[in-house]
Amino acid sequence: MKINSQLDTIKENYSFHFGIELSNENLAKFSGITHVIMQGSTNRAKVLAKKLAHEVLNIDSNFFDPINIINSADFAIYRIGKILSISHGMGNTTMDTVLHALTKILHYAGNNKVEYIRVGTSGGIGIKPGTVVITKQAFMPDLSPYYATNELDKQVNIPTQFNQKLVNKIYSAQPDNLSFDIIIGNSIAADDFYLGQCRYDGAMQSRQDEEWRKEFFNNIRDLDIYNFEMESSALAAFCHQAEIPATMIAVTLLNRLESDQVTSSAEKLAEFSDHSHLVIINYIKSII
């Protein structure tokens, strides 16, 4: 882990975003961490924590309720052994905030070798719903292979390449008899859910017509892009700078070549969500 050297001269006593004092007692809750599994909602983070407790630590989930170790209305962090299951909210900017806050705490707690893996949902491009994409490269909506951010009036472009070794390890850890497809490919992290993804079901009408969008979707397959979501480029850029192995595992809920609407039943969507959880659990079990 490569972190800001100026932190050595800054006395930080409180994590504003997580609502906790950086006391020895609280930092101990973050020591010895090897994996951080990130999801959008607090509920999904808690559900995965229960699954990890059962699958990794052999804890009966009927008698176990994960405890949130931070005090925030926006995020949640659950610890299972050496793993953190956390929520990051929605969008690149929120993801970026969580990454800074969490990585500082892990640094203060003495961790120097961790893996960051986002597990989530996405909109597929030309693949059937329920397919899981393991991302090797994140793109911005304009297809630039970097995360464009600003430091005041200066734009900074940060590469968004994920860790290929980690991608391959996760893929290799999966059994041959899975009931769904797994693809190694690239992803687009759109700036917003509606117009940023050229959806036609937002409150504001898209500025691009269907013929233009169809051509765009077909062309991005030449870049090995299989899905849209909203956090991968911030995650990839941050971890590239921090030298933290990272990737994203995202199940697709629909095929954007066919519709903007998720038409699967609630039961089917829960099944799709389980796909991405199973992939990360298979990986964790393969290395413990």
Side-chain angles (χ1 to χ4, degrees):
M1 181 188 294
K2 182 180 180 182
I3 201 159
N4 178 13
S5 60
Q6 290 180 305
L7 292 179
D8 294 335
T9 61
I10 299 173
K11 183 61 175 177
E12 192 166 9
N13 299 314
Y14 187 79
S15 173
F16 171 78
H17 297 291
F18 292 159
I20 59 172
E21 293 183 5
L22 299 180
S23 62
N24 290 336
E25 179 182 0
N26 282 332
L27 289 177
K29 300 174 184 178
F30 292 86
S31 66
I33 297 299
T34 59
H35 292 84
V36 176
I37 314 301
M38 307 176 177
Q39 298 176 92
S41 73
T42 57
N43 181 64
R44 281 177 56 81
K46 187 173 185 178
V47 168
L48 180 59
K50 293 193 73 167
K51 291 180 180 180
L52 288 168
H54 176 70
E55 296 289 341
V56 177
L57 301 182
N58 296 314
I59 296 175
D60 189 337
S61 57
N62 291 318
F63 303 97
F64 173 71
D65 190 36
I67 297 174
N68 184 4
I69 62 174
I70 62 173
N71 183 27
S72 168
D74 300 312
F75 312 111
I77 300 179
Y78 303 96
R79 177 166 184 164
I80 305 299
K82 297 181 179 180
I83 304 166
L84 294 181
S85 180
I86 81 170
S87 64
H88 57 65
M90 181 182 289
N92 274 328
T93 54
T94 304
M95 167 65 88
D96 194 57
T97 298
V98 170
L99 289 169
H100 279 275
L102 177 68
T103 304
K104 288 196 296 180
I105 290 178
L106 291 178
H107 168 70
Y108 296 145
N111 302 279
N112 53 26
K113 190 175 182 181
V114 294
E115 293 178 350
Y116 285 4
I117 303 169
R118 167 169 142 68
V119 176
T121 58
S122 63
I125 304 294
I127 54 179
K128 62 183 180 182
T131 301
V132 171
V133 179
I134 306 175
T135 304
K136 59 183 178 179
Q137 170 83 58
F139 287 82
M140 294 298 286
D142 64 356
L143 303 184
S144 54
Y146 52 79
Y147 181 45
T149 185
N150 281 73
E151 294 182 8
L152 301 180
D153 66 340
K154 304 298 182 183
Q155 180 171 311
V156 180
N157 299 330
I158 309 168
T160 49
Q161 185 74 38
F162 280 119
N163 186 280
Q164 190 63 51
K165 183 178 179 180
L166 176 58
V167 169
N168 293 336
K169 286 195 301 180
I170 293 172
Y171 186 82
S172 298
Q174 308 308 312
D176 296 329
N177 61 348
L178 291 175
S179 62
F180 54 90
D181 296 330
I182 301 179
I183 296 172
I184 294 177
N186 298 325
S187 304
I188 292 178
D191 292 321
D192 62 76
F193 188 78
Y194 288 101
L195 298 185
Q197 300 184 44
C198 196
R199 297 174 65 103
Y200 297 141
D201 58 349
M204 297 294 106
Q205 184 173 339
S206 173
R207 294 172 287 270
Q208 309 300 331
D209 61 33
E210 192 167 350
E211 182 178 350
W212 179 91
R213 188 180 77 167
K214 183 177 180 180
E215 182 180 1
F216 178 88
F217 283 168
N218 287 328
N219 288 341
I220 63 177
R221 290 301 297 272
D222 293 336
L223 293 174
D224 213 19
I225 294 171
Y226 287 94
N227 60 341
F228 272 93
E229 50 77 62
M230 297 176 63
E231 292 86 22
S232 60
S233 56
L235 175 62
F238 183 93
C239 291
H240 174 81
Q241 292 182 99
E243 298 179 2
I244 297 173
T247 188
M248 180 178 71
I249 300 168
V251 67
T252 56
L253 302 183
L254 74 163
N255 180 357
R256 290 290 310 283
L257 295 183
E258 298 177 353
S259 175
D260 289 335
Q261 295 289 317
V262 176
T263 58
S264 299
S265 65
E267 292 76 15
K268 201 66 178 178
L269 292 175
E271 177 187 325
F272 291 162
S273 183
D274 287 341
H275 291 179
S276 53
H277 280 179
L278 181 57
V279 171
I280 188 60
I281 288 170
N282 286 339
Y283 170 61
I284 295 296
K285 291 174 69 174
S286 75
I287 59 176
I288 60 173

PDB file of all heavy atoms in Angstrom, residues 17-42:
ATOM      1  N   HIS A  17     -16.166  10.995   8.111  1.00  0.00           N
ATOM      2  CA  HIS A  17     -17.073  10.254   7.240  1.00  0.00           C
ATOM      3  C   HIS A  17     -17.587   8.966   7.881  1.00  0.00           C
ATOM      4  O   HIS A  17     -18.687   8.506   7.549  1.00  0.00           O
ATOM      5  CB  HIS A  17     -16.385   9.946   5.910  1.00  0.00           C
ATOM      6  CG  HIS A  17     -16.029  11.173   5.135  1.00  0.00           C
ATOM      7  ND1 HIS A  17     -16.971  11.988   4.558  1.00  0.00           N
ATOM      8  CD2 HIS A  17     -14.824  11.742   4.864  1.00  0.00           C
ATOM      9  CE1 HIS A  17     -16.382  12.997   3.957  1.00  0.00           C
ATOM     10  NE2 HIS A  17     -15.081  12.875   4.131  1.00  0.00           N
ATOM     11  N   PHE A  18     -16.804   8.389   8.782  1.00  0.00           N
ATOM     12  CA  PHE A  18     -17.235   7.163   9.451  1.00  0.00           C
ATOM     13  C   PHE A  18     -17.733   7.407  10.869  1.00  0.00           C
ATOM     14  O   PHE A  18     -18.238   6.496  11.518  1.00  0.00           O
ATOM     15  CB  PHE A  18     -16.094   6.145   9.472  1.00  0.00           C
ATOM     16  CG  PHE A  18     -15.745   5.598   8.107  1.00  0.00           C
ATOM     17  CD1 PHE A  18     -14.502   5.035   7.875  1.00  0.00           C
ATOM     18  CD2 PHE A  18     -16.651   5.648   7.061  1.00  0.00           C
ATOM     19  CE1 PHE A  18     -14.172   4.522   6.627  1.00  0.00           C
ATOM     20  CE2 PHE A  18     -16.328   5.145   5.804  1.00  0.00           C
ATOM     21  CZ  PHE A  18     -15.090   4.589   5.584  1.00  0.00           C
ATOM     22  N   GLY A  19     -17.577   8.623  11.371  1.00  0.00           N
ATOM     23  CA  GLY A  19     -18.125   8.987  12.674  1.00  0.00           C
ATOM     24  C   GLY A  19     -17.483   8.261  13.847  1.00  0.00           C
ATOM     25  O   GLY A  19     -18.169   7.937  14.816  1.00  0.00           O
ATOM     26  N   ILE A  20     -16.176   8.023  13.775  1.00  0.00           N
ATOM     27  CA  ILE A  20     -15.496   7.344  14.880  1.00  0.00           C
ATOM     28  C   ILE A  20     -14.200   8.062  15.230  1.00  0.00           C
ATOM     29  O   ILE A  20     -13.530   8.639  14.365  1.00  0.00           O
ATOM     30  CB  ILE A  20     -15.178   5.868  14.557  1.00  0.00           C
ATOM     31  CG1 ILE A  20     -14.289   5.751  13.307  1.00  0.00           C
ATOM     32  CG2 ILE A  20     -16.452   5.064  14.404  1.00  0.00           C
ATOM     33  CD1 ILE A  20     -13.774   4.350  13.048  1.00  0.00           C
ATOM     34  N   GLU A  21     -13.847   8.016  16.519  1.00  0.00           N
ATOM     35  CA  GLU A  21     -12.544   8.494  16.956  1.00  0.00           C
ATOM     36  C   GLU A  21     -11.478   7.492  16.536  1.00  0.00           C
ATOM     37  O   GLU A  21     -11.707   6.284  16.547  1.00  0.00           O
ATOM     38  CB  GLU A  21     -12.523   8.667  18.476  1.00  0.00           C
ATOM     39  CG  GLU A  21     -13.428   9.775  18.984  1.00  0.00           C
ATOM     40  CD  GLU A  21     -13.311   9.959  20.485  1.00  0.00           C
ATOM     41  OE1 GLU A  21     -12.458   9.285  21.094  1.00  0.00           O
ATOM     42  OE2 GLU A  21     -14.083  10.774  21.039  1.00  0.00           O
ATOM     43  N   LEU A  22     -10.317   8.001  16.191  1.00  0.00           N
ATOM     44  CA  LEU A  22      -9.222   7.129  15.774  1.00  0.00           C
ATOM     45  C   LEU A  22      -8.400   6.738  16.997  1.00  0.00           C
ATOM     46  O   LEU A  22      -7.181   6.921  17.050  1.00  0.00           O
ATOM     47  CB  LEU A  22      -8.370   7.835  14.718  1.00  0.00           C
ATOM     48  CG  LEU A  22      -9.133   8.209  13.437  1.00  0.00           C
ATOM     49  CD1 LEU A  22      -8.211   8.902  12.450  1.00  0.00           C
ATOM     50  CD2 LEU A  22      -9.781   6.988  12.809  1.00  0.00           C
ATOM     51  N   SER A  23      -9.076   6.159  17.966  1.00  0.00           N
ATOM     52  CA  SER A  23      -8.442   5.688  19.199  1.00  0.00           C
ATOM     53  C   SER A  23      -7.811   4.323  18.955  1.00  0.00           C
ATOM     54  O   SER A  23      -8.110   3.645  17.961  1.00  0.00           O
ATOM     55  CB  SER A  23      -9.485   5.574  20.307  1.00  0.00           C
ATOM     56  OG  SER A  23     -10.478   4.612  19.945  1.00  0.00           O
ATOM     57  N   ASN A  24      -6.954   3.912  19.862  1.00  0.00           N
ATOM     58  CA  ASN A  24      -6.338   2.587  19.745  1.00  0.00           C
ATOM     59  C   ASN A  24      -7.405   1.495  19.733  1.00  0.00           C
ATOM     60  O   ASN A  24      -7.277   0.491  19.015  1.00  0.00           O
ATOM     61  CB  ASN A  24      -5.354   2.357  20.888  1.00  0.00           C
ATOM     62  CG  ASN A  24      -4.121   3.221  20.772  1.00  0.00           C
ATOM     63  OD1 ASN A  24      -3.763   3.662  19.673  1.00  0.00           O
ATOM     64  ND2 ASN A  24      -3.465   3.499  21.885  1.00  0.00           N
ATOM     65  N   GLU A  25      -8.455   1.687  20.529  1.00  0.00           N
ATOM     66  CA  GLU A  25      -9.531   0.695  20.595  1.00  0.00           C
ATOM     67  C   GLU A  25     -10.242   0.558  19.247  1.00  0.00           C
ATOM     68  O   GLU A  25     -10.505  -0.563  18.781  1.00  0.00           O
ATOM     69  CB  GLU A  25     -10.543   1.096  21.669  1.00  0.00           C
ATOM     70  CG  GLU A  25     -11.711   0.142  21.797  1.00  0.00           C
ATOM     71  CD  GLU A  25     -12.725   0.588  22.838  1.00  0.00           C
ATOM     72  OE1 GLU A  25     -12.513   1.647  23.470  1.00  0.00           O
ATOM     73  OE2 GLU A  25     -13.726  -0.127  23.017  1.00  0.00           O
ATOM     74  N   ASN A  26     -10.531   1.673  18.603  1.00  0.00           N
ATOM     75  CA  ASN A  26     -11.204   1.606  17.302  1.00  0.00           C
ATOM     76  C   ASN A  26     -10.278   1.133  16.197  1.00  0.00           C
ATOM     77  O   ASN A  26     -10.690   0.376  15.309  1.00  0.00           O
ATOM     78  CB  ASN A  26     -11.792   2.972  16.947  1.00  0.00           C
ATOM     79  CG  ASN A  26     -13.086   3.254  17.681  1.00  0.00           C
ATOM     80  OD1 ASN A  26     -13.823   2.339  18.031  1.00  0.00           O
ATOM     81  ND2 ASN A  26     -13.364   4.526  17.941  1.00  0.00           N
ATOM     82  N   LEU A  27      -9.024   1.566  16.233  1.00  0.00           N
ATOM     83  CA  LEU A  27      -8.075   1.128  15.211  1.00  0.00           C
ATOM     84  C   LEU A  27      -7.838  -0.380  15.279  1.00  0.00           C
ATOM     85  O   LEU A  27      -7.593  -1.026  14.254  1.00  0.00           O
ATOM     86  CB  LEU A  27      -6.753   1.881  15.343  1.00  0.00           C
ATOM     87  CG  LEU A  27      -6.791   3.363  14.951  1.00  0.00           C
ATOM     88  CD1 LEU A  27      -5.433   4.010  15.194  1.00  0.00           C
ATOM     89  CD2 LEU A  27      -7.214   3.538  13.495  1.00  0.00           C
ATOM     90  N   ALA A  28      -7.942  -0.937  16.481  1.00  0.00           N
ATOM     91  CA  ALA A  28      -7.765  -2.389  16.632  1.00  0.00           C
ATOM     92  C   ALA A  28      -8.826  -3.160  15.851  1.00  0.00           C
ATOM     93  O   ALA A  28      -8.582  -4.297  15.405  1.00  0.00           O
ATOM     94  CB  ALA A  28      -7.810  -2.775  18.104  1.00  0.00           C
ATOM     95  N   LYS A  29      -9.988  -2.551  15.659  1.00  0.00           N
ATOM     96  CA  LYS A  29     -11.051  -3.204  14.895  1.00  0.00           C
ATOM     97  C   LYS A  29     -10.695  -3.317  13.412  1.00  0.00           C
ATOM     98  O   LYS A  29     -11.304  -4.102  12.677  1.00  0.00           O
ATOM     99  CB  LYS A  29     -12.357  -2.425  15.053  1.00  0.00           C
ATOM    100  CG  LYS A  29     -12.859  -2.321  16.482  1.00  0.00           C
ATOM    101  CD  LYS A  29     -14.074  -1.406  16.570  1.00  0.00           C
ATOM    102  CE  LYS A  29     -14.526  -1.204  18.015  1.00  0.00           C
ATOM    103  NZ  LYS A  29     -15.677  -0.269  18.118  1.00  0.00           N
ATOM    104  N   PHE A  30      -9.715  -2.530  12.983  1.00  0.00           N
ATOM    105  CA  PHE A  30      -9.318  -2.512  11.575  1.00  0.00           C
ATOM    106  C   PHE A  30      -7.938  -3.139  11.344  1.00  0.00           C
ATOM    107  O   PHE A  30      -7.434  -3.096  10.231  1.00  0.00           O
ATOM    108  CB  PHE A  30      -9.304  -1.071  11.055  1.00  0.00           C
ATOM    109  CG  PHE A  30     -10.659  -0.438  10.968  1.00  0.00           C
ATOM    110  CD1 PHE A  30     -11.218   0.198  12.071  1.00  0.00           C
ATOM    111  CD2 PHE A  30     -11.398  -0.478   9.799  1.00  0.00           C
ATOM    112  CE1 PHE A  30     -12.471   0.787  12.009  1.00  0.00           C
ATOM    113  CE2 PHE A  30     -12.652   0.106   9.723  1.00  0.00           C
ATOM    114  CZ  PHE A  30     -13.196   0.744  10.827  1.00  0.00           C
ATOM    115  N   SER A  31      -7.342  -3.707  12.351  1.00  0.00           N
ATOM    116  CA  SER A  31      -6.005  -4.295  12.196  1.00  0.00           C
ATOM    117  C   SER A  31      -6.112  -5.712  11.653  1.00  0.00           C
ATOM    118  O   SER A  31      -7.121  -6.398  11.846  1.00  0.00           O
ATOM    119  CB  SER A  31      -5.270  -4.311  13.540  1.00  0.00           C
ATOM    120  OG  SER A  31      -5.914  -5.183  14.451  1.00  0.00           O
ATOM    121  N   GLY A  32      -5.079  -6.149  10.955  1.00  0.00           N
ATOM    122  CA  GLY A  32      -5.027  -7.517  10.441  1.00  0.00           C
ATOM    123  C   GLY A  32      -5.964  -7.791   9.283  1.00  0.00           C
ATOM    124  O   GLY A  32      -6.295  -8.952   9.006  1.00  0.00           O
ATOM    125  N   ILE A  33      -6.383  -6.761   8.556  1.00  0.00           N
ATOM    126  CA  ILE A  33      -7.313  -6.926   7.432  1.00  0.00           C
ATOM    127  C   ILE A  33      -6.541  -7.305   6.165  1.00  0.00           C
ATOM    128  O   ILE A  33      -5.523  -6.708   5.834  1.00  0.00           O
ATOM    129  CB  ILE A  33      -8.126  -5.637   7.195  1.00  0.00           C
ATOM    130  CG1 ILE A  33      -8.990  -5.320   8.404  1.00  0.00           C
ATOM    131  CG2 ILE A  33      -8.977  -5.764   5.926  1.00  0.00           C
ATOM    132  CD1 ILE A  33     -10.004  -6.393   8.747  1.00  0.00           C
ATOM    133  N   THR A  34      -7.072  -8.307   5.442  1.00  0.00           N
ATOM    134  CA  THR A  34      -6.451  -8.729   4.178  1.00  0.00           C
ATOM    135  C   THR A  34      -7.328  -8.438   2.965  1.00  0.00           C
ATOM    136  O   THR A  34      -6.818  -8.305   1.854  1.00  0.00           O
ATOM    137  CB  THR A  34      -6.134 -10.231   4.205  1.00  0.00           C
ATOM    138  OG1 THR A  34      -7.353 -10.967   4.429  1.00  0.00           O
ATOM    139  CG2 THR A  34      -5.123 -10.559   5.302  1.00  0.00           C
ATOM    140  N   HIS A  35      -8.659  -8.349   3.184  1.00  0.00           N
ATOM    141  CA  HIS A  35      -9.577  -8.123   2.059  1.00  0.00           C
ATOM    142  C   HIS A  35     -10.676  -7.149   2.451  1.00  0.00           C
ATOM    143  O   HIS A  35     -11.225  -7.230   3.551  1.00  0.00           O
ATOM    144  CB  HIS A  35     -10.209  -9.441   1.601  1.00  0.00           C
ATOM    145  CG  HIS A  35      -9.233 -10.393   0.976  1.00  0.00           C
ATOM    146  ND1 HIS A  35      -8.448 -11.231   1.730  1.00  0.00           N
ATOM    147  CD2 HIS A  35      -8.918 -10.608  -0.317  1.00  0.00           C
ATOM    148  CE1 HIS A  35      -7.678 -11.928   0.917  1.00  0.00           C
ATOM    149  NE2 HIS A  35      -7.940 -11.577  -0.327  1.00  0.00           N
ATOM    150  N   VAL A  36     -10.982  -6.249   1.528  1.00  0.00           N
ATOM    151  CA  VAL A  36     -12.100  -5.325   1.685  1.00  0.00           C
ATOM    152  C   VAL A  36     -13.064  -5.575   0.533  1.00  0.00           C
ATOM    153  O   VAL A  36     -12.704  -5.418  -0.634  1.00  0.00           O
ATOM    154  CB  VAL A  36     -11.634  -3.862   1.669  1.00  0.00           C
ATOM    155  CG1 VAL A  36     -12.838  -2.928   1.738  1.00  0.00           C
ATOM    156  CG2 VAL A  36     -10.673  -3.588   2.818  1.00  0.00           C
ATOM    157  N   ILE A  37     -14.283  -6.022   0.884  1.00  0.00           N
ATOM    158  CA  ILE A  37     -15.307  -6.283  -0.122  1.00  0.00           C
ATOM    159  C   ILE A  37     -16.314  -5.140  -0.070  1.00  0.00           C
ATOM    160  O   ILE A  37     -16.919  -4.882   0.968  1.00  0.00           O
ATOM    161  CB  ILE A  37     -16.027  -7.626   0.126  1.00  0.00           C
ATOM    162  CG1 ILE A  37     -15.008  -8.737   0.433  1.00  0.00           C
ATOM    163  CG2 ILE A  37     -16.893  -7.986  -1.070  1.00  0.00           C
ATOM    164  CD1 ILE A  37     -13.987  -8.969  -0.651  1.00  0.00           C
ATOM    165  N   MET A  38     -16.499  -4.434  -1.185  1.00  0.00           N
ATOM    166  CA  MET A  38     -17.298  -3.215  -1.221  1.00  0.00           C
ATOM    167  C   MET A  38     -18.590  -3.417  -2.005  1.00  0.00           C
ATOM    168  O   MET A  38     -18.579  -4.035  -3.070  1.00  0.00           O
ATOM    169  CB  MET A  38     -16.496  -2.093  -1.891  1.00  0.00           C
ATOM    170  CG  MET A  38     -15.134  -1.872  -1.280  1.00  0.00           C
ATOM    171  SD  MET A  38     -14.211  -0.633  -2.195  1.00  0.00           S
ATOM    172  CE  MET A  38     -12.730  -0.551  -1.185  1.00  0.00           C
ATOM    173  N   GLN A  39     -19.682  -2.878  -1.446  1.00  0.00           N
ATOM    174  CA  GLN A  39     -20.968  -2.924  -2.120  1.00  0.00           C
ATOM    175  C   GLN A  39     -21.688  -1.597  -1.946  1.00  0.00           C
ATOM    176  O   GLN A  39     -21.332  -0.816  -1.064  1.00  0.00           O
ATOM    177  CB  GLN A  39     -21.815  -4.058  -1.557  1.00  0.00           C
ATOM    178  CG  GLN A  39     -21.164  -5.426  -1.780  1.00  0.00           C
ATOM    179  CD  GLN A  39     -21.959  -6.525  -1.133  1.00  0.00           C
ATOM    180  OE1 GLN A  39     -22.815  -7.135  -1.757  1.00  0.00           O
ATOM    181  NE2 GLN A  39     -21.696  -6.769   0.129  1.00  0.00           N
ATOM    182  N   GLY A  40     -22.706  -1.369  -2.767  1.00  0.00           N
ATOM    183  CA  GLY A  40     -23.374  -0.088  -2.728  1.00  0.00           C
ATOM    184  C   GLY A  40     -24.152   0.167  -1.456  1.00  0.00           C
ATOM    185  O   GLY A  40     -23.950   1.163  -0.774  1.00  0.00           O
ATOM    186  N   SER A  41     -25.053  -0.744  -1.112  1.00  0.00           N
ATOM    187  CA  SER A  41     -25.960  -0.501   0.001  1.00  0.00           C
ATOM    188  C   SER A  41     -25.489  -1.161   1.289  1.00  0.00           C
ATOM    189  O   SER A  41     -24.770  -2.165   1.269  1.00  0.00           O
ATOM    190  CB  SER A  41     -27.364  -1.016  -0.337  1.00  0.00           C
ATOM    191  OG  SER A  41     -27.401  -2.434  -0.312  1.00  0.00           O
ATOM    192  N   THR A  42     -25.929  -0.594   2.413  1.00  0.00           N
ATOM    193  CA  THR A  42     -25.590  -1.172   3.718  1.00  0.00           C
ATOM    194  C   THR A  42     -26.226  -2.546   3.890  1.00  0.00           C
ATOM    195  O   THR A  42     -25.649  -3.427   4.524  1.00  0.00           O
ATOM    196  CB  THR A  42     -26.034  -0.247   4.852  1.00  0.00           C
ATOM    197  OG1 THR A  42     -27.453  -0.007   4.751  1.00  0.00           O
ATOM    198  CG2 THR A  42     -25.304   1.090   4.777  1.00  0.00           C
TER     199      THR A  42
END
